[in-house]
Amino acid sequence: MSEAGGGRGFGYSVPQRAPWSLVAATAALCLVSATSVWTAGASPMSREEKQKLGNQVLEMFDHAYGNYMEHAYPADELMPLTCRGRVRGQEPSRGDVDDALGKFSLTLIDSLDTLVVLNKTKEFEDAVRKVLRDVNLDNDVVVSVFETNIRVLGGLLGGHSLAIMLKEKGEYMQWYNDELLQMAKQLGYKLLPAFNTTSGLPYPRINLKFGIRKPEARTGTETDTCTACAGTLILEFAALSRFTGATIFEEYARKALDFLWEKRQRSSNLVGVTINIHTGDWVRKDSGVGAGIDSYYEYLLKAYVLLGDDSFLERFNTHYDAIMRYISQPPLLLDVHIHKPMLNARTWMDALLAFFPGLQVLKGDIRPAIETHEMLYQVIKKHNFLPEAFTTDFRVHWAQHPLRPEFAESTYFLYKATGDPYYLEVGKTLIENLNKYARVPCGFAAMKDVRTGSHEDRMDSFFLAEMFKYLYLLFADKEDVIFDIEDYIFTTEAHLLPLWLSTTNQRISKKNTTSEYTELDDSNFDWTCPNTQILFPNDPLYAQSIREPLKNVVDKSCPRGIIRVEESFRSGAKPPLRARDFMATNPEHLEILKKMGVSLIHLKDGRVQLVQHAIQAASSIDAEDGLRFMQEMIELSSQQQKEQQLPPRAVQIVSHPFFGRVVLTAGPAQFGLDLSKHKETRGFVASSKPYNGCSELTNPEAVMGKIALIQRGQCMFAEKARNIQNAGAIGGIVIDDNEGSSSDTAPLFQMAGDGKDTDDITIPMLFLFSKEGSIILDAIREYEEVEVLLSDKAKDRDPEMENEEQPSSENDSQNQSAEQIASSSQEVDLVGQESPEESSLNSHPESLSPADTDNAASISPSEQNSNPMENHETTSLDGECTDLDNQLQEQSETEEDSNPNVSWGKKVQPIDSILADWNEDIEAFEMMEKDEL
Ligand code: DMJ
């Protein structure tokens, strides 16, 4: 049995060695099979084409793995743009992301079992020898417990699982004597001190050499961890216990899971995103299935599959019921508040939730899996990759994409479940996009911005651990894999653990918790099997019939119109007012605002402030609607601020040997040719003399007709632009003089003018940080002639097509801006744009303004809110709205006067607690905006 499935169909077969039949007797998992012959819908893919695609995946893996081994190993990861290893401490810190790097050759360990799945047994044997010879697990480095568990412990255990499988087959690994397992055990013991808390939840970080509390450890003072961080240990820890007989690991992981379960919000049965590891209080009370929680749910279900312990399934089912009740709004999955699960906590989704359709397949709930997957695929078709976060109306919220594998994972499981060749076509698109947009001469580079196609110097280890496995298995027939994948379960990092572990070393005393679950009612089993709602029908058109109504959901629908049944119920025929729809000129809207206790106040500096006094709402339901409206307004304001910034631009190296494959993120200029309106500018580059471009150039013949490179500093950007333009340059790239700066670690800026009229500057100007700039300077040193393309979005990088336009992406971006115009025309323009003169100055004399910041809308306490006990929501919207100014002046003044401070103690209790919670939620939201995924 496995969720992996074999070649032609998906199945939960019964492995010889595991008592799966016993497990299955109590299981609520669906036995899903798609062995029927495909008769209609997407045309079937021929065996030859599948093989061709499988071979392409192998070639891509070789490119990624080969470059890592050649240019980065023994470093943790490859930096594919600069073609070297990423060594922690030697590169500028990227914050939490770096906590995965423990100087333990992360990518090699994470790739071990991928090598066997991809039939590279010889390379696997070599790789295992290298791990045993080179890897040190005792470095003085602080690492994430979660990442070290899923990538390193999981990687070693996956490697061990397949090493013993190969040894048993009798050809390879005959020398192997559980050495990887011994390393895994050593690492397991290193992680254990993290669990030294009263709750049993682990600290988020540990020093591999010094543990937690010692002064040298530099960690152990943290108070919070994410739910997924504490709840994604059981598979690896239980496997380690069962392989070695040392029960302590499984015990610790179970204890952490038990604690999380106890702390679930009892009325909604949801969990928050972060929890205090000492008190067990929820720190962030928003709840979804993506970042921060995702693999907690995954591990409950998979722990049941691997360990056969019913309590895990019952917990999973309870949570799943809550997810489907509150978070699932097909095809969307939207975060809610654990205490107020009918209230959305965000208007955007993150990319990590793309694993969820795959988990739903394992659960046996195929319909919503198909729906969410289809929605995600349409977002991908729009941007080539899934942006880190996107709004409910499918605009980019966070534009990065670090080559995450979750969507490929779900595609694989859906194909196994449905047998629908449509999913093979989806996989083919993923392969094409990776090769077209992410492949660089030295590996595959993460996307810095899916809108521009620019790259980041980053290839995460999960790309090798997961992406290539799922893509290869998608196209593989049973005989293409040298072992039976159905005998294994995939961890969250796609490492393989054998199902026979369920019967091995079962010495952990299982709590008989079944009686605790009396709160489950029949409706819980709406989401379990057997269930006529979700049983997979033997209809080859089933998946297609579910996708059909959604086929234009991203392009044409207006999901902000999606309103919950309950919401429309309680407010009669009319749904509550959404922030996006609010028109200051609409008297009906103003009336609704009043009903919700929201008033508009004009501040002396011209800003408009919305204040909510819940006590003044017509009813507690209106007060709740008002709170939601305020939160939507805050998000909207933040989004508008972002949209009004000039988006980043791309510098693409198009000459040999790059052929457009390297794309650098560039800051735009507020003057000169606007690359979003005009076609791109293409030309060879030449350094200007003087290099700072602050006076008339002494080498006009060298820059004439070329794109001039100029160093930042010593004069205004506009002055540099004028000097190179006068020398005949057709464009300019300003390179940061601050050595080592990079768009990976510093926020991008737009170059502002000099406060004077800059209409005389007609050439395009872009800004590169030093690291990106040095990629061009290095290329000049090596190849002399270097040609670049300056544009708003990277162009097709296929060598044969390097001179052609890419009509589909052009259309895409046109559609997108048309869409944005359409949607913004309905909205009140609440946010003004910073003028160049107002842009902030830094130590350099040129003026800079932030180009792509993630600021949330500013929330300032109301000036009337002098009583700390008074609790009301306010949002200050930067910039002013003249309409509002003129029309509402009178009203706001009146309302201001009529809002005397009210003693909070007099307020009705339910509203009190709602608002108290809400304030915490707003803080959490602000934190979340700052957080990385
Ligand atoms: C992987 O490391 C794991 O899948 C984890 O659970 C979350 N996501 C990353 C890849 O995106």
Side-chain angles (χ1 to χ4, degrees):
M1 175 279 159
S2 116
E3 86 281 30
R8 264 160 240 102
F10 173 86
Y12 292 96
S13 58
V14 182
Q16 298 293 304
R17 284 161 290 186
W20 181 245
S21 47
L22 293 180
V23 175
T26 52
L29 295 178
C30 278
L31 302 179
V32 189
S33 159
T35 49
S36 56
V37 180
W38 192 253
T39 52
S43 3
M45 192 177 270
S46 67
R47 169 92 177 117
E48 291 68 45
E49 171 135 37
K50 281 171 71 181
Q51 267 170 351
K52 199 175 121 209
L53 289 162
N55 287 337
Q56 229 175 313
V57 176
L58 293 177
E59 187 280 329
M60 289 162 71
F61 173 81
D62 288 344
H63 182 66
Y65 182 72
N67 274 296
Y68 164 73
M69 290 309 287
E70 190 177 339
H71 301 289
Y73 181 77
D76 283 318
E77 285 180 345
L78 170 70
M79 297 172 71
L81 297 183
T82 45
C83 208
R84 60 203 163 100
R86 181 181 292 283
V87 179
R88 197 152 163 207
Q90 287 180 18
E91 302 295 330
S93 165
R94 300 173 300 167
D96 291 354
V97 183
D98 283 341
D99 289 344
L101 313 177
K103 301 188 176 177
F104 36 34
S105 302
L106 176 66
T107 301
L108 179 66
I109 294 178
D110 229 3
S111 304
L112 286 178
D113 50 10
T114 307
L115 288 164
V116 186
V117 172
L118 270 53
N119 227 330
K120 295 177 179 293
T121 325
K122 177 75 190 57
E123 289 89 332
F124 172 71
E125 191 145 10
D126 291 347
V128 174
R129 286 188 199 278
K130 285 199 174 75
V131 170
L132 301 180
R133 188 192 65 196
D134 300 341
V135 173
N136 176 12
L137 297 172
D138 197 38
N139 299 309
D140 176 12
V141 53
V142 176
V143 291
S144 150
V145 171
F146 165 79
E147 298 290 358
T148 307
N149 173 57
I150 65 167
R151 302 196 202 196
V152 186
L153 188 55
L156 293 171
L157 291 170
H160 170 71
S161 303
L162 298 189
I164 54 177
M165 175 278 296
L166 287 170
K167 186 175 180 182
E168 204 181 302
K169 277 182 183 278
E171 194 183 342
Y172 292 96
M173 302 299 289
Q174 295 308 300
W175 53 270
Y176 182 72
N177 221 355
D178 292 351
E179 290 89 343
L180 289 176
L181 182 61
Q182 292 320 315
M183 280 184 82
K185 193 171 171 187
Q186 188 199 345
L187 182 59
Y189 279 118
K190 283 188 167 295
L191 296 180
L192 284 187
F195 293 80
N196 192 6
T197 58
T198 41
S199 64
L201 298 178
Y203 280 95
R205 293 182 196 84
I206 193 155
N207 185 307
L208 284 176
K209 193 179 182 70
F210 297 111
I212 290 283
R213 290 233 181 86
K214 296 197 188 85
E216 314 91 291
R218 305 187 304 282
T219 189
T221 51
E222 300 94 335
T223 52
D224 309 337
T225 196
C226 74
T227 301
C229 302
T232 310
L233 298 148
I234 186 70
L235 293 187
E236 294 80 2
F237 273 46
L240 185 56
S241 283
R242 292 180 181 217
F243 271 132
T244 61
T247 54
I248 189 166
F249 305 108
E250 186 170 339
E251 276 160 17
Y252 276 39
R254 276 179 186 265
K255 196 173 159 213
L257 277 180
D258 290 346
F259 189 83
L260 287 175
W261 172 247
E262 283 303 313
K263 289 290 166 186
R264 75 193 180 282
Q265 211 289 322
R266 297 295 175 121
S267 54
S268 67
N269 280 321
L270 293 171
V271 288
V273 171
T274 48
I275 188 166
N276 184 306
I277 53 175
H278 305 299
T279 63
D281 292 339
W282 290 110
V283 179
R284 269 180 52 182
K285 296 168 185 166
D286 43 319
S287 182
V289 296
I293 303 184
D294 47 5
S295 44
Y296 161 65
Y297 293 135
E298 178 183 0
Y299 270 35
L300 283 179
L301 184 56
K302 290 185 175 177
Y304 165 67
V305 174
L306 184 69
L307 309 174
D309 182 337
D310 290 353
S311 71
F312 291 129
L313 179 63
E314 290 173 35
R315 289 179 196 184
F316 175 80
N317 281 339
T318 303
H319 285 311
Y320 190 75
D321 177 52
I323 292 166
M324 298 313 286
R325 214 181 274 276
Y326 304 120
I327 293 169
S328 169
Q329 300 172 49
L332 312 182
L333 290 159
L334 275 181
D335 287 23
V336 297
H337 297 268
I338 55 174
H339 295 105
K340 300 174 293 289
M342 296 311 298
L343 283 184
N344 289 340
R346 299 177 187 169
T347 55
W348 47 271
M349 289 166 275
D350 64 61
L352 287 166
L353 61 73
F355 89 103
F356 199 67
L359 189 66
Q360 290 180 306
V361 170
L362 180 61
K363 158 82 180 157
D365 198 1
I366 309 291
R367 170 184 277 273
I370 292 170
E371 290 170 335
T372 299
H373 179 276
E374 178 58 21
M375 176 274 290
L376 294 169
Y377 186 42
Q378 287 179 36
V379 177
I380 289 174
K381 283 197 280 190
K382 217 172 152 110
H383 304 293
N384 302 321
F385 297 97
L386 201 57
E388 274 298 69
F390 52 96
T391 59
T392 47
D393 49 355
F394 308 113
R395 282 170 302 135
V396 172
H397 187 67
W398 291 332
Q400 313 93 293
H401 170 76
L403 309 181
R404 291 200 188 277
E406 284 78 3
F407 182 77
E409 174 183 352
S410 285
T411 304
Y412 166 66
F413 288 118
L414 269 168
Y415 177 61
K416 294 301 166 192
T418 63
D420 185 343
Y422 176 81
Y423 296 108
L424 297 177
E425 295 298 332
V426 173
K428 188 176 170 187
T429 306
L430 298 183
I431 291 175
E432 281 167 5
N433 287 350
L434 281 171
N435 278 325
K436 212 164 165 185
Y437 303 109
R439 190 175 179 130
V440 293
C442 190
F444 289 83
M447 305 309 292
K448 170 106 193 146
D449 189 319
V450 295
R451 296 162 302 183
T452 60
S454 57
H455 292 136
E456 205 173 338
D457 202 1
R458 160 175 185 190
M459 184 176 86
D460 289 73
S461 70
F462 53 67
F463 183 56
L464 288 96
E466 300 190 58
M467 184 71 92
F468 294 107
K469 270 193 202 114
Y470 290 125
L471 287 178
Y472 181 76
L473 290 169
L474 177 65
F475 299 105
D477 282 342
K478 212 170 170 58
E479 57 273 21
D480 297 328
V481 184
I482 54 172
F483 62 99
D484 192 348
I485 196 86
E486 295 193 23
D487 288 344
Y488 296 81
I489 190 162
F490 288 101
T491 68
T492 193
E493 187 79 356
H495 292 307
L496 293 170
L497 299 175
L499 287 163
W500 53 258
L501 285 175
S502 62
T503 50
T504 312
N505 279 328
Q506 275 180 294
R507 278 186 282 148
I508 314 294
S509 63
K510 288 180 204 162
K511 242 168 86 185
N512 184 3
T513 42
T514 312
S515 55
E516 284 180 21
Y517 300 92
T518 43
E519 65 198 69
L520 290 183
D521 59 28
D522 287 351
S523 66
N524 183 266
F525 298 100
D526 286 351
W527 312 110
T528 57
C529 301
N531 173 6
T532 46
Q533 266 189 28
I534 54 171
L535 269 184
F536 187 72
N538 194 15
D539 174 3
L541 287 175
Y542 176 71
Q544 200 201 0
S545 70
I546 293 171
R547 288 193 304 269
E548 186 59 26
L550 295 167
K551 71 172 185 243
N552 292 320
V553 70
V554 167
D555 271 341
K556 304 233 171 82
S557 83
C558 185
R560 65 172 180 261
I562 292 177
I563 286 153
R564 299 191 175 201
V565 181
E566 290 85 346
E567 280 180 337
S568 32
F569 236 129
R570 65 178 192 217
S571 55
K574 283 205 172 159
L577 178 62
R578 318 301 300 225
R580 289 187 162 282
D581 302 325
F582 172 67
M583 305 278 283
T585 46
N586 185 332
E588 210 185 319
H589 287 182
L590 296 175
E591 195 48 46
I592 298 175
L593 242 57
K594 209 169 169 183
K595 233 174 126 206
M596 297 191 299
V598 177
S599 49
L600 286 124
I601 297 168
H602 280 266
L603 303 177
K604 287 200 181 69
D605 62 6
R607 288 179 306 155
V608 176
Q609 190 172 53
L610 296 178
V611 184
Q612 201 220 12
H613 296 262
I615 194 79
Q616 291 176 357
S619 68
S620 61
I621 287 172
D622 289 308
E624 237 186 75
D625 283 343
L627 288 167
R628 199 216 54 246
F629 177 85
M630 294 295 285
Q631 200 230 355
E632 282 182 5
M633 198 49 106
I634 291 164
E635 283 198 38
L636 190 62
S637 163
S638 140
Q639 255 170 37
Q640 285 177 338
Q641 277 175 339
K642 274 194 213 166
E643 280 162 18
Q644 288 179 15
Q645 300 288 349
L646 289 177
R649 306 281 187 240
V651 174
Q652 191 170 15
I653 312 182
V654 292
S655 51
H656 169 86
F658 302 95
F659 298 121
R661 291 187 188 282
V662 170
V663 186
L664 308 168
T665 302
Q670 291 174 346
F671 53 86
L673 187 89
D674 181 352
L675 289 163
S676 65
K677 295 204 185 104
H678 298 80
K679 285 228 174 116
E680 68 276 356
T681 295
R682 180 182 179 133
F684 287 92
V685 291
S687 292
S688 58
K689 278 190 191 150
Y691 188 31
N692 64 23
C694 289
S695 54
E696 192 180 333
L697 297 204
T698 57
N699 64 338
E701 68 296 338
V703 300
M704 168 78 77
K706 296 192 176 157
I707 292 171
L709 303 178
I710 331 132
Q711 192 178 40
R712 179 184 177 191
Q714 286 161 37
C715 61
M716 308 295 279
F717 290 126
E719 199 176 331
K720 294 171 193 283
R722 288 193 184 98
N723 285 328
I724 60 167
Q725 183 172 290
N726 291 343
I730 56 168
I733 299 174
V734 179
I735 297 176
D736 196 8
D737 59 340
N738 179 5
E739 217 185 308
S741 69
S742 156
S743 63
D744 293 353
T745 45
L748 207 55
F749 287 96
Q750 38 185 306
M751 297 181 284
D754 51 6
K756 298 180 210 140
D757 185 1
T758 48
D759 285 354
D760 57 317
I761 303 172
T762 54
I763 58 171
M765 295 290 294
L766 293 181
F767 175 84
L768 288 180
F769 279 111
S770 140
K771 210 189 88 180
E772 284 80 18
S774 64
I775 292 173
I776 297 187
L777 296 172
D778 289 349
I780 299 178
R781 272 189 282 279
E782 202 159 335
Y783 307 105
E784 285 177 21
E785 298 277 82
V786 174
E787 194 179 15
V788 300
L789 190 72
L790 312 183
S791 64
D792 62 334
K793 181 171 179 157
K795 299 294 176 286
D796 200 321
R797 59 212 67 190
D798 185 336
E800 285 87 42
M801 296 175 67
E802 54 177 320
N803 293 317
E804 288 173 26
E805 293 292 329
Q806 196 198 348
S808 62
S809 346
E810 294 269 304
N811 289 342
D812 274 0
S813 59
Q814 277 165 14
N815 287 343
Q816 198 184 339
S817 34
E819 207 179 55
Q820 279 166 4
I821 291 162
S823 78
S824 58
S825 66
Q826 292 174 32
E827 294 157 6
V828 181
D829 179 18
L830 289 160
V831 185
Q833 189 173 9
E834 204 179 23
S835 70
E837 288 78 12
E838 287 164 338
S839 301
S840 58
L841 284 167
N842 69 1
S843 57
H844 285 79
E846 318 97 339
S847 45
L848 297 171
S849 54
D852 190 18
T853 54
D854 276 341
N855 295 335
S858 62
I859 309 165
S860 60
S862 159
E863 282 162 9
Q864 289 76 49
N865 192 3
S866 52
N867 179 354
M869 292 304 286
E870 176 170 280
N871 198 343
H872 52 209
E873 286 304 316
T874 68
T875 170
S876 289
L877 304 162
D878 290 336
E880 67 177 291
C881 168
T882 331
D883 283 355
L884 284 178
D885 217 27
N886 297 335
Q887 293 154 18
L888 303 173
Q889 183 87 35
E890 220 185 299
Q891 181 186 348
S892 62
E893 278 166 12
T894 327
E895 292 192 353
E896 209 173 338
D897 290 347
S898 66
N899 283 341
N901 289 347
V902 178
S903 157
W904 190 240
K906 289 184 198 147
K907 292 188 178 179
V908 203
Q909 188 53 39
I911 299 293
D912 184 340
S913 64
I914 287 172
L915 284 174
D917 278 355
W918 189 266
N919 265 351
E920 287 170 25
D921 295 339
I922 294 283
E923 277 164 32
F925 167 75
E926 285 180 298
M927 270 171 59
M928 194 160 60
E929 282 275 285
K930 285 185 209 133
D931 279 355
E932 282 210 44
L933 288 181

